[in-house]
Amino acid sequence: MNSSRGLLALALLFISFLVYQQWEIDKAPKPAVAQTNVTQSSTDTPSSPTANTATPDSEAKGRVITVANDVFRLKIDTLGGDVVESELLNYAQELNSEARFTLLDNQNGKTYIAQSGLVGKDGIDSAAGRAAYQVDGDNFVLADGQNELRVPLTFEKDGVTYRKVFVLKRGAYDVAVNYEIQNNGAAAIEVQPYGQLKHNLVESSGHIAMPTYTGGAYSSSETNYKKYSFDEMKKANLSIDTKAGWVAVLQHYFVSAWIPSQDVDNQLYTSTNNGVGFIGYRGPVTTVQPGESKSINSSLWTGPKLQEQMGAVANHLDLTVDYGWAWFIAKPLFWLLTHIHDLVKNWGLAIIGVTLIVKGLLYPLTKAQYTSMAKMRMLQPKLQEMRERFGDDRQRMSQEMMKLYKEEKVNPLGGCLPLLIQMPIFIALYWTFMEAVELRHAPFFGWIQDLSAQDPYYILPLLMGGSMFLLQKMSPTPVADPMQQKIMTFMPVVFTVFFLWFPAGLVLYWLVSNLITIIQQQLIYRGLEKKGLHSRKK
């Protein structure tokens, strides 16, 4: 296969990939999901399995306190102890903005909060109302030199003291949300913990070149990671019993997730009501005898998709950095990218470094490609003679061609293989740039101040198109078919139009890759000329 047909194949794969990913987001068949066996109430907290009662109006609010460490600032409503806002101190809301990025938010028509509580037979979050916690103070901040901040909220009822304790650690985006229950009453009590994320039912955003997913996801003992979109929530309530696992809401580079205790049986669930969706978990019923104390532990992650930290918090939580089917390529590429960045301190230079390494590893295939193409060029007179000799006898023609290729040690597909191998690498890098929060607002040089966003002046895509046109013109095998000539002429234009909307980092990779290929091509041609295998004449 010559280079022109290889480029056509690459273009077809490229366009098919874009169409497929959009179809997968919008129209892909949804998995069958059993209806939940616990009826979800029409309000904020889940129903108890033993007493299916409604809960109070979701608009009810208590006093809002602030707790903060060095990476985020949380606002907690003392009515129920829900986290109603999370402000990420190390991430700007917009490029060059002083305002910090707010993930959890319950203002200006947006609903995205992390709720938790105790339901069940003696639950303190029920139709009668949410627990109204007491706390000494309004602002709690991790002090310099302090590695842990504990903020207890206290509620008493019928001789039982409930302490909902938030534990923040330095440099960590996960916060422990633990219940300490002291039963000083005369009778045993039964409570069931839950945690859920409440979010407006919104559609995923972006466009065909840069789609972004906003919706649910979960992990269970049977499934390491699976998305569960808001559309799926509207169609069927999730209901999964699992010992391990978590539930989450994804938002491009950021995620919030409830991680229950991993050594007990939990139920993962979803529901929808009045334009909002819920994805959460219920823990097992906990019985506390008179005079007894018990603790119930859980964790809430609300922050960026930092793979190493998330992997340490819960098994498979790092899979929310979703590389799709190309994960086995994307993970080592991201590892390589981060290690090069540690040396050069610039993500654009790191991308160039990755490109150099990838092209270096592919060089043997590239050399084989152009050698094969040169040999194919030398065989053209013999192939033309065969066509004239065998005429319409295609079977005989095919047999003789294969015999000639074998004798001359020529692989007719050798010119296409490197191009096809590049496509999975391109897709892996595409998802790396789409998912890696490290590249968000990461500058390169000059006008490129955000490698995760498109080039604001379209300079890189135009340069990429020019390099592709030059590479095409330098191809050693001319295209004879007039239709193929027209297609190949417009190929750089088509790619340039697509790349106008791609992340600048990805365009940088493709541009540098083309430039390296041009240099490699010239070096290979010179070597072939010395062996008499190549002619520059067209």
Side-chain angles (χ1 to χ4, degrees):
M1 183 181 290
N2 61 38
S3 63
S4 301
R5 292 179 180 174
L7 282 173
L8 288 174
L10 183 64
L12 179 61
L13 287 172
F14 172 71
I15 294 172
S16 300
F17 161 68
L18 294 177
V19 173
Y20 169 76
Q21 71 173 12
Q22 192 65 37
W23 175 85
E24 190 178 45
I25 292 173
D26 296 335
K27 302 295 182 183
K30 307 301 181 184
V33 180
Q35 295 289 336
T36 180
N37 56 12
V38 180
T39 303
Q40 179 71 25
S41 67
S42 62
T43 47
D44 285 358
T45 57
S47 305
S48 162
T50 56
N52 184 21
T53 57
T55 53
D57 192 329
S58 61
E59 296 301 320
K61 295 181 179 179
R63 182 163 59 95
V64 175
I65 65 171
T66 300
V67 300
N69 61 7
D70 57 325
V71 296
F72 61 24
R73 183 182 296 113
L74 308 180
K75 290 187 177 181
I76 301 171
D77 191 335
T78 57
L79 185 62
D82 299 333
V83 182
V84 296
E85 184 176 303
S86 60
E87 184 182 12
L88 309 185
L89 304 179
N90 294 332
Y91 295 87
Q93 186 73 30
E94 304 290 344
L95 181 64
N96 299 324
S97 170
E98 292 296 326
R100 300 295 87 188
F101 185 83
T102 301
L103 184 56
L104 296 176
D105 193 3
N106 197 34
Q107 298 181 13
N108 302 319
K110 181 179 180 180
T111 300
Y112 184 14
I113 59 178
Q115 302 177 309
S116 58
L118 297 173
V119 292
K121 176 174 173 289
D122 301 294
I124 55 177
D125 297 286
S126 65
R130 305 289 303 279
Y133 289 99
Q134 302 298 314
V135 58
D136 296 329
D138 294 319
N139 293 282
F140 304 85
V141 180
L142 185 70
D144 293 339
Q146 187 180 8
N147 290 321
E148 182 178 283
L149 173 67
R150 298 177 64 87
V151 181
L153 282 63
T154 304
F155 177 73
E156 295 187 3
K157 179 182 177 182
D158 300 331
V160 182
T161 300
Y162 303 86
R163 297 176 75 241
K164 188 173 188 177
V165 184
F166 291 83
V167 184
L168 285 68
K169 295 183 179 180
R170 182 169 298 279
Y173 288 95
D174 61 301
V175 51
V177 183
N178 302 328
Y179 285 94
E180 299 173 356
I181 305 171
Q182 174 64 50
N183 187 358
N184 296 319
I189 62 168
E190 294 181 358
V191 294
Q192 183 182 23
Y194 80 94
Q196 66 183 12
L197 297 162
K198 177 182 178 182
H199 197 291
N200 300 93
L201 295 174
V202 298
E203 295 182 0
S204 297
S205 57
H207 48 77
I208 189 171
M210 292 179 64
T212 56
Y213 174 80
T214 299
Y218 68 89
S219 176
S220 69
S221 54
E222 299 294 328
T223 303
N224 292 344
Y225 166 75
K226 189 171 184 61
K227 290 179 179 176
Y228 202 75
S229 69
F230 292 128
D231 283 342
E232 290 175 283
M233 294 182 195
K234 288 187 285 187
K235 294 176 182 178
N237 291 337
L238 183 71
S239 179
I240 295 177
D241 295 322
T242 178
K243 177 154 288 187
W246 43 262
V247 292
V249 168
L250 313 184
Q251 181 180 314
H252 201 181
Y253 296 113
F254 304 95
V255 59
S256 293
W258 276 112
I259 304 102
S261 177
Q262 300 291 283
D263 56 358
V264 298
D265 294 325
N266 297 292
Q267 182 193 45
L268 311 184
Y269 66 87
T270 65
S271 69
T272 60
N273 183 64
N274 293 331
V276 295
F278 302 83
I279 183 167
Y281 78 89
R282 297 181 184 87
V285 174
T286 297
T287 301
V288 187
Q289 298 293 339
E292 188 179 28
S293 297
K294 282 195 176 180
S295 297
I296 302 173
N297 301 327
S298 66
S299 294
L300 171 67
W301 175 283
T302 176
K305 294 179 180 178
L306 300 176
Q307 299 177 57
E308 186 174 350
Q309 289 190 30
M310 289 191 298
V313 169
N315 287 337
H316 313 305
L317 187 59
D318 58 322
L319 297 182
T320 56
V321 181
D322 192 351
Y323 295 131
W325 63 266
W327 62 268
F328 61 96
I329 302 174
K331 280 185 175 290
L333 282 176
F334 178 73
W335 178 89
L336 181 61
L337 187 68
T338 53
H339 279 71
I340 295 176
H341 175 264
D342 290 341
L343 295 175
V344 299
K345 308 301 180 184
N346 181 288
W347 286 105
L349 293 178
I351 291 170
I352 293 174
V354 167
T355 312
L356 289 168
I357 292 174
V358 169
K359 294 299 291 184
L361 292 174
L362 291 178
Y363 180 74
L365 287 176
T366 303
K367 185 176 181 180
Q369 170 192 7
Y370 289 115
T371 301
S372 176
M373 289 163 58
K375 289 183 178 180
M376 287 290 292
R377 183 182 180 86
M378 293 179 63
L379 293 178
Q380 288 303 311
K382 293 184 179 181
L383 292 173
Q384 182 61 35
E385 188 272 332
M386 285 183 184
R387 294 187 186 96
E388 295 173 356
R389 179 154 42 106
F390 297 114
D392 294 332
D393 190 349
R394 296 185 177 181
Q395 182 177 359
R396 180 70 184 279
M397 176 69 182
S398 177
Q399 291 174 348
E400 292 298 324
M401 284 176 62
M402 292 299 104
K403 182 179 179 182
L404 179 63
Y405 291 152
K406 186 175 182 181
E407 291 174 352
E408 299 293 338
K409 298 180 180 180
V410 173
N411 180 6
L413 299 179
C416 186
L417 184 59
L419 293 171
L420 297 180
I421 289 178
Q422 283 190 64
M423 194 59 190
I425 296 174
F426 172 83
I427 293 172
L429 282 170
Y430 172 88
W431 284 116
T432 298
F433 295 142
M434 289 293 295
E435 289 288 307
V437 70
E438 290 83 355
L439 293 172
R440 180 181 184 265
H441 296 170
F444 181 35
F445 293 118
W447 73 99
I448 302 296
Q449 294 299 307
D450 186 356
L451 287 164
S452 69
Q454 66 192 55
D455 184 334
Y457 303 112
Y458 307 118
I459 296 174
L460 284 180
L462 292 175
L463 291 175
M464 186 283 305
S467 68
M468 189 175 181
F469 178 79
L470 179 61
L471 185 59
Q472 177 183 302
K473 287 298 182 182
M474 294 174 63
S475 172
T477 306
V479 178
D481 182 71
M483 180 60 69
Q484 285 193 30
Q485 286 181 348
K486 291 181 180 180
I487 294 175
M488 292 306 301
T489 299
F490 284 101
M491 194 63 65
V493 178
V494 172
F495 268 68
T496 300
V497 171
F498 274 114
F499 275 69
L500 291 176
W501 316 110
F502 276 5
L506 193 64
V507 185
L508 177 64
Y509 164 80
W510 200 266
L511 169 61
V512 175
S513 178
N514 284 349
L515 295 176
I516 296 172
T517 300
I518 291 172
I519 295 173
Q520 289 180 336
Q521 187 185 68
Q522 293 306 299
L523 294 175
I524 294 169
Y525 286 173
R526 290 174 184 174
L528 293 176
E529 285 177 344
K530 292 179 181 179
K531 297 179 181 179
L533 293 176
H534 174 66
S535 173
R536 290 181 180 272
K537 295 179 181 180
K538 296 284 187 175

XYZ file of all heavy atoms in Angstrom, residues 33-69:
259
model
N -30.705 -2.131 33.174
C -30.470 -1.964 34.604
C -31.759 -2.286 35.342
O -32.826 -1.791 34.991
C -30.028 -0.526 34.944
C -29.787 -0.396 36.436
C -28.775 -0.163 34.175
N -31.629 -3.109 36.365
C -32.806 -3.471 37.138
C -33.329 -2.276 37.911
O -32.565 -1.450 38.389
C -32.458 -4.607 38.106
N -34.643 -2.195 38.039
C -35.233 -1.148 38.855
C -34.867 -1.375 40.308
O -34.772 -2.499 40.782
C -36.762 -1.144 38.704
C -37.228 -0.785 37.307
C -36.994 0.666 36.977
O -36.907 1.496 37.876
N -36.878 0.987 35.704
N -34.608 -0.276 41.000
C -34.223 -0.407 42.401
C -35.322 -1.040 43.222
O -36.508 -0.800 42.996
C -33.869 0.969 42.998
O -33.505 0.786 44.352
C -35.001 1.952 42.927
N -34.926 -1.867 44.193
C -35.921 -2.526 45.029
C -36.256 -1.711 46.267
O -36.976 -2.168 47.134
C -35.421 -3.924 45.436
C -34.072 -3.853 46.127
O -33.609 -2.783 46.497
N -33.434 -5.014 46.287
N -35.731 -0.498 46.342
C -36.089 0.408 47.430
C -36.656 1.669 46.806
O -35.997 2.341 46.035
C -34.865 0.766 48.294
C -35.262 1.714 49.414
C -34.249 -0.498 48.869
N -37.888 1.997 47.102
C -38.524 3.156 46.501
C -37.863 4.431 46.971
O -37.730 4.672 48.161
C -40.022 3.189 46.883
O -40.608 1.968 46.462
C -40.709 4.364 46.199
N -37.461 5.257 46.006
C -36.809 6.522 46.344
C -37.875 7.564 46.637
O -38.850 7.726 45.911
C -35.941 6.979 45.177
C -35.244 8.288 45.410
C -34.142 8.155 46.432
O -33.603 7.084 46.636
N -33.816 9.236 47.085
N -37.711 8.277 47.714
C -38.651 9.326 48.059
C -38.470 10.502 47.134
O -37.493 10.627 46.429
C -38.443 9.763 49.510
O -37.210 10.388 49.647
N -39.393 11.391 47.144
C -39.368 12.516 46.217
C -38.538 13.663 46.721
O -38.522 14.715 46.133
C -40.809 12.997 45.973
O -41.374 13.452 47.184
N -37.862 13.469 47.820
C -37.045 14.554 48.361
C -35.604 14.130 48.480
O -35.167 13.222 47.820
C -37.617 14.988 49.726
O -37.862 13.826 50.497
C -38.904 15.752 49.549
N -34.841 14.781 49.348
C -33.389 14.700 49.267
C -32.782 13.417 49.796
O -31.820 12.921 49.248
C -32.757 15.871 50.021
C -32.891 17.155 49.229
O -33.433 17.089 48.124
O -32.458 18.196 49.727
N -33.225 12.888 50.898
C -32.555 11.736 51.492
C -33.255 10.454 51.097
O -34.455 10.423 50.881
C -32.534 11.852 53.028
O -33.861 11.982 53.506
C -31.728 13.050 53.459
N -32.524 9.354 50.988
C -33.136 8.105 50.557
C -34.043 7.530 51.627
O -33.902 7.800 52.809
C -31.928 7.204 50.315
C -30.881 7.719 51.217
C -31.097 9.202 51.283
N -34.967 6.723 51.178
C -35.897 6.099 52.111
C -35.212 4.993 52.892
O -34.251 4.383 52.441
C -37.078 5.506 51.339
O -37.682 6.486 50.548
N -35.696 4.744 54.059
C -35.197 3.624 54.838
C -35.771 2.334 54.303
O -36.918 2.265 53.889
C -35.624 3.796 56.306
O -35.514 2.572 56.987
N -35.023 1.241 54.282
C -35.562 -0.022 53.819
C -36.649 -0.558 54.723
O -37.445 -1.379 54.321
C -34.352 -0.956 53.798
C -33.236 -0.246 54.458
C -33.611 1.160 54.662
N -36.691 -0.075 55.959
C -37.702 -0.583 56.887
C -38.837 0.390 57.104
O -39.893 0.008 57.594
C -37.055 -0.878 58.251
O -36.412 0.316 58.734
C -36.018 -1.968 58.123
N -38.624 1.628 56.745
C -39.688 2.611 56.926
C -39.618 3.596 55.776
O -38.831 4.522 55.779
C -39.534 3.339 58.257
N -40.437 3.376 54.767
C -40.379 4.172 53.554
C -41.081 5.503 53.777
O -42.230 5.694 53.441
C -41.022 3.396 52.399
C -40.913 4.136 51.092
O -40.054 5.001 50.937
N -41.773 3.790 50.161
N -40.356 6.436 54.364
C -40.952 7.717 54.711
C -40.310 8.828 53.917
O -39.176 8.746 53.489
C -40.750 8.002 56.209
O -39.361 7.955 56.498
C -41.493 6.995 57.053
N -41.046 9.897 53.721
C -40.533 11.043 52.992
C -39.657 11.879 53.907
O -39.640 11.719 55.118
C -41.689 11.868 52.451
N -38.931 12.803 53.316
C -38.029 13.670 54.065
C -38.446 15.121 53.885
O -39.254 15.429 53.013
C -36.593 13.465 53.599
O -36.551 13.614 52.192
C -36.085 12.082 53.967
N -37.866 16.033 54.682
C -38.334 17.403 54.649
C -37.996 18.121 53.347
O -37.223 17.638 52.532
C -37.606 18.054 55.826
C -36.394 17.228 55.993
C -36.813 15.835 55.655
N -38.570 19.295 53.186
C -38.366 20.122 52.006
C -36.877 20.366 51.781
O -36.155 20.764 52.696
C -39.094 21.452 52.201
C -39.181 22.241 50.908
O -38.260 22.105 50.078
O -40.150 22.983 50.727
N -36.416 20.124 50.533
C -34.995 20.260 50.225
C -34.519 21.701 50.320
O -33.322 21.952 50.338
C -34.712 19.722 48.820
O -35.432 20.457 47.859
N -35.442 22.668 50.360
C -35.037 24.069 50.424
C -34.688 24.507 51.849
O -34.153 25.587 52.041
C -36.163 24.962 49.880
C -36.469 24.730 48.414
C -35.265 24.966 47.523
O -34.518 25.934 47.773
O -35.062 24.171 46.590
N -35.028 23.675 52.843
C -34.717 24.042 54.220
C -33.209 24.125 54.405
O -32.459 23.306 53.898
C -35.317 23.007 55.177
N -32.755 25.154 55.143
C -31.332 25.365 55.345
C -31.049 25.715 56.793
O -31.911 26.222 57.503
C -30.810 26.485 54.437
C -30.890 26.178 52.960
C -30.333 27.330 52.131
C -30.394 27.000 50.638
N -29.874 28.119 49.818
N -29.832 25.418 57.214
C -29.388 25.809 58.539
C -28.288 26.846 58.419
O -28.188 27.570 57.430
N -27.430 26.890 59.386
C -26.285 27.793 59.350
C -25.174 27.162 58.505
O -24.950 25.959 58.566
C -25.808 28.037 60.788
C -24.645 29.008 60.913
C -24.540 29.495 62.362
N -24.343 28.406 63.300
C -23.150 28.019 63.747
N -22.054 28.619 63.332
N -23.057 27.027 64.614
N -24.498 27.964 57.725
C -23.431 27.471 56.857
C -22.084 27.825 57.472
O -21.811 28.987 57.779
C -23.541 28.058 55.436
C -22.346 27.612 54.582
C -24.839 27.626 54.780
N -21.252 26.810 57.685
C -19.910 27.017 58.218
C -18.881 26.740 57.128
O -19.195 26.106 56.110
C -19.641 26.128 59.444
C -19.649 24.646 59.045
C -20.656 26.407 60.549
C -19.175 23.706 60.139
N -17.674 27.200 57.324
C -16.593 27.017 56.355
C -15.464 26.222 56.996
O -15.041 26.527 58.112
C -16.054 28.376 55.874
O -17.117 29.115 55.260
C -14.938 28.176 54.860
N -15.000 25.201 56.305
C -13.831 24.443 56.746
C -12.861 24.395 55.572
O -13.269 24.269 54.413
C -14.200 23.016 57.210
C -15.170 23.072 58.384
C -14.808 22.208 56.080
N -11.571 24.514 55.849
C -10.611 24.609 54.751
C -9.267 24.014 55.139
O -8.843 24.078 56.292
C -10.433 26.074 54.335
N -8.616 23.435 54.145
C -7.202 23.085 54.280
C -6.431 23.900 53.244
O -6.890 24.964 52.821
C -6.988 21.573 54.127
C -7.410 21.036 52.772
O -7.747 21.793 51.860
N -7.398 19.727 52.623
